[in-house]
């Protein structure tokens, strides 16, 4: 109950009930199974494109963790990540995620599928940042994969960062100094102030999908999205809207001059092969459009 109270915003009380015990049992059973999965290397990554809102040109891929055990249904990724964080396994799994995503991006560069303006976005837990040697580990991964640092974009969740403030800002400054890009993820779910934002060395703000998905139907969500865009504009930070599921939302975001987007409307998170097929189709379409344009001249 104490942990639950702390994690749901502190300064509140929560009574321990029977349901907590059941949830604890489920989590610890899952924890044991996840530990085995880590040892056996059962995780995979899928990639979701992020695009320029103006013309839907793909500018980045977000690497997302997946686990498909044979003996049970796949758990929700958020739950999987929280169990990995609680058990400390996130450090090893997170290292594997960074290494795999960077290798993948290097391969896509080598195949000419993307250029060096395209980035690979990787979610990093605050627990990983707190490891003494995070930035030197990251440096070694970039060297091993021969990936230019500007091709990597690290996403940190806003609420998690607020809790562990000053030590993380130091690490983020080191990472930024290496040339790696930084995104503040799930923006709007924490309580970041304008003053706090100016202390973070971030390149992008990612508006949480709960606001983007509701902006068509809910006035408050729309107001939050518009306020974030106005505030980010003042601070010269580009915005990514995540959770774009329909044309209406895309149009509203375009009109509001939101720079980047991500969502099921353009592409769901996909395995490597399907991303490559998607990129080939797009390249073919772009070449055809360019040929058509030049034949008209
Ligand atoms: P996130 O970083 O905010 O990632 C975006 C989530 O939104 C993904 O969920 C993605 O599938 C989902 N999403 C994107 N567009 C849409 C949309 O249009 N509609 C809907 N309904 N959902 C959309 P996913 O893959 O389940 O990941 C959940 C969270 O788990 C991530 O949220 C991130 O916080 C965490 N996570 C995922 N992979 C990793 C990882 O490798 N390391 C760490 N530390 N965390 C990870
Ligand atoms: Mg993310
Ligand atoms: Mg997010």
């Amino acid at each position: 109950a104490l942990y639950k109270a702390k994690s749901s915003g502190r300064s509140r009380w929560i009574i321990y009930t029977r349901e907590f015990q059941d949830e604890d049992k489920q989590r610890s059973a899952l924890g044991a199974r996840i530990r085995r999965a880590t040892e056996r290397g059962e995780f995979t990554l899928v990639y979701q494109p992020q695009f320029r809102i103006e013309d839907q040109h793909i500018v980045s891929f977000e690497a997302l963790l997946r686990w498909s055990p044979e003996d049970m249904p796949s758990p929700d990724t958020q739950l999987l990540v929280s169990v990995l964080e609680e058990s400390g396994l996130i450090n090893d799994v997170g290292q594997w995620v960074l290494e795999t995503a960077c290798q993948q991006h290097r391969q896509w560069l080598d195949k000419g599928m993307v250029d060096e303006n395209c980035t690979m976005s990787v979610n990093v837990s605050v627990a990983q940042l707190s490891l003494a040697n995070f930035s030197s580990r990251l440096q070694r991964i970039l060297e091993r994969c021969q990936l230019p640092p500007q091709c990597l974009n690290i996403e940190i969740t806003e609420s998690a960062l607020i809790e562990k403030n000053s030590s993380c800002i130091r690490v983020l400054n080191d990472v930024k100094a290496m040339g790696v890009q930084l995104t503040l993820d799930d923006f709007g779910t924490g309580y970041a102030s304008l003053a706090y934002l100016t202390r973070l060395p971030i390149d992008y703000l990612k508006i949480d999908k709960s606001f983007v998905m509701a902006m068509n139907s809910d006035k408050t969500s729309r107001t939050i999205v518009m306020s974030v865009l106005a505030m980010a504009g003042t601070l010269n930070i580009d915005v990514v809207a995540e959770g774009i599921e329909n044309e209406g939302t895309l149009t509203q975001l375009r009109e509001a001059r939101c720079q980047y987007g991500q969502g099921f409307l353009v592409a769901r998170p996909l395995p490597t092969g399907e991303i490559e097929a998607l990129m080939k189709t797009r390249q073919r379409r772009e070449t055809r459009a360019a040929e058509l344009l030049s034949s008209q001249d």
Side-chain angles (χ1 to χ4, degrees), residues 62 123 155 185 206 242:
E62 180 173 14
N123 294 287
E155 298 194 1
D185 204 352
K206 214 180 209 193
E242 109 190 329

Side-chain angles (χ1 to χ4, degrees), residues 62 123 155 157 185-187 206-209 242 262:
E62 180 173 14
N123 294 287
E155 298 194 1
T157 300
D185 204 352
D186 302 340
F187 190 74
K206 214 180 209 193
I207 312 181
D208 191 63
K209 61 176 177 294
E242 109 190 329
Q262 175 177 359

Side-chain angles (χ1 to χ4, degrees), residues 157-194:
T157 300
E158 181 206 6
S159 50
L161 197 58
I162 293 169
E163 275 177 30
K164 299 235 175 154
N165 205 325
S166 50
S167 59
C168 286
I169 293 182
R170 225 173 308 125
V171 185
L172 291 180
N173 279 322
D174 290 347
V175 171
K176 187 81 189 95
M178 281 162 52
V180 170
Q181 307 202 41
L182 291 174
T183 295
L184 195 56
D185 204 352
D186 302 340
F187 190 74
T189 54
Y191 306 93
S193 68
L194 206 60

Side-chain angles (χ1 to χ4, degrees), residues 263-297:
F264 294 176
L265 176 70
V266 168
R268 286 178 177 261
L270 299 167
T272 306
E274 286 181 47
I275 288 283
E276 292 181 1
L278 175 100
M279 293 304 278
K280 264 191 204 138
T281 314
R282 279 185 164 237
Q283 270 170 1
R284 245 180 271 133
R285 206 190 306 149
E286 277 168 23
T287 317
R288 226 178 296 134
E291 281 167 4
L292 207 68
L293 213 66
S294 68
S295 71
Q296 282 170 352
D297 285 345

Side-chain angles (χ1 to χ4, degrees), residues 19-259:
E19 279 152 31
F20 281 28
Q21 230 172 354
D22 296 344
E23 200 183 304
D24 273 355
K25 271 192 200 146
Q26 271 178 12
R27 282 178 87 89
S28 60
L30 187 64
R33 186 64 188 81
I34 288 175
R35 185 172 289 278
R36 244 186 304 144
T38 309
E39 288 158 8
R40 293 180 185 170
E42 291 178 5
F43 298 116
T44 54
L45 290 182
V46 287
Y47 301 90
Q48 187 179 26
Q50 299 183 8
F51 52 89
R52 218 161 36 210
I53 296 234
E54 196 190 329
D55 57 1
Q56 294 188 25
H57 177 74
I58 292 174
V59 292
S60 184
F61 298 96
E62 180 173 14
L64 295 158
L65 191 63
R66 291 292 181 268
W67 178 43
S68 312
E70 279 170 6
D71 51 346
M72 56 184 267
S74 298
D76 168 70
T77 304
Q78 197 91 58
L79 172 67
L80 171 65
V81 169
S82 81
V83 173
L84 287 169
E85 284 173 340
E86 273 171 19
S87 59
L89 291 168
I90 194 67
N91 294 327
D92 289 344
V93 176
Q95 173 90 1
W96 173 84
V97 170
L98 272 165
E99 187 112 32
T100 309
C102 288
Q103 264 171 16
Q104 182 60 75
H105 203 66
R106 181 68 258 170
Q107 273 184 27
W108 284 342
L109 280 166
D110 292 344
K111 285 183 174 179
M113 204 183 92
V114 297
D115 62 25
E116 288 195 358
N117 293 319
C118 184
T119 59
M120 175 58 76
S121 298
V122 179
N123 294 287
V124 169
S125 289
V126 165
Q128 290 172 261
L129 283 188
S130 310
L131 284 179
N133 50 1
F134 178 78
S135 41
S136 48
R137 279 178 191 228
L138 187 62
Q139 182 79 55
R140 281 199 296 277
I141 291 178
L142 290 170
E143 283 165 9
R144 269 201 298 278
C145 300
Q146 297 184 330
L147 191 70
Q150 71 274 14
C151 288
L152 178 65
N153 188 326
I154 283 187
E155 298 194 1
I156 309 282
T157 300
E158 181 206 6
S159 50
L161 197 58
I162 293 169
E163 275 177 30
K164 299 235 175 154
N165 205 325
S166 50
S167 59
C168 286
I169 293 182
R170 225 173 308 125
V171 185
L172 291 180
N173 279 322
D174 290 347
V175 171
K176 187 81 189 95
M178 281 162 52
V180 170
Q181 307 202 41
L182 291 174
T183 295
L184 195 56
D185 204 352
D186 302 340
F187 190 74
T189 54
Y191 306 93
S193 68
L194 206 60
Y196 178 77
L197 269 187
T198 57
R199 288 176 53 211
L200 294 173
I202 49 166
D203 303 283
Y204 301 94
L205 273 186
K206 214 180 209 193
I207 312 181
D208 191 63
K209 61 176 177 294
S210 57
F211 307 114
V212 178
M213 284 162 69
M215 68 184 279
N216 270 340
S217 54
D218 173 44
K219 203 166 161 233
T220 311
S221 298
R222 192 160 53 245
T223 309
I224 291 173
V225 173
M226 297 304 162
S227 312
V228 173
L229 283 166
M231 181 190 66
T234 317
L235 296 173
N236 264 330
I237 298 171
D238 282 346
V239 174
V240 185
E242 109 190 329
I244 304 177
E245 292 194 342
N246 54 57
E247 288 289 347
T249 308
L250 186 66
T251 307
Q252 282 197 51
L253 289 164
R254 192 183 295 120
E255 285 168 4
R257 302 199 181 285
C258 176
Q259 292 86 359

